[in-house]
Amino acid sequence: QVLLVESGGGPVQAGASLRLSCAASGGTFSNYVMGWFRQAPGKEREFVAAMTASGSRTNYADSVKGRFTISRDNAKSTGYLQMNSLKLEDTAVYYCAVYLGRVILSTSQEKYDSWGQGTQVTVSS
């Protein structure tokens, strides 16, 4: 089992930047695909970004492409989500998640086995 803990969320102004972190423990992080998802109150959880185990390939939701950057440091067993040019629509609880895999990159939340507790991002004007 992999334990994931997100951090770095908080209140920010529209247009600002924020970097979320996802610290992993209990497994070999370099063996896992990592994804970021978000959920606004009363809304369904949605895909944000994902990265293969080695970091060689990424996938982004259209709503964040060009603004968000997913990355990982396998030596530190930590994943990141750099969020730039934040918009009001980005307000949500952000979750990191992983599943065991190296080649296949999935954007479907059903594929992910382990989830963090989430970190709140609130964007205001």
Side-chain angles (χ1 to χ4, degrees), residues 40-57:
K43 306 296 182 181
E44 292 188 24
R45 186 171 58 195
E46 64 178 358
F47 168 77
V48 176
M51 173 172 279
T52 53
S54 68
S56 61
R57 289 186 291 114

Side-chain angles (χ1 to χ4, degrees), residues 38-41 46 88-94 119-123:
R38 66 187 183 185
Q39 186 170 29
E46 64 178 358
L88 296 179
E89 308 89 86
D90 296 320
T91 295
V93 176
Y94 284 72
T119 185
Q120 177 71 51
V121 174
T122 303
V123 184

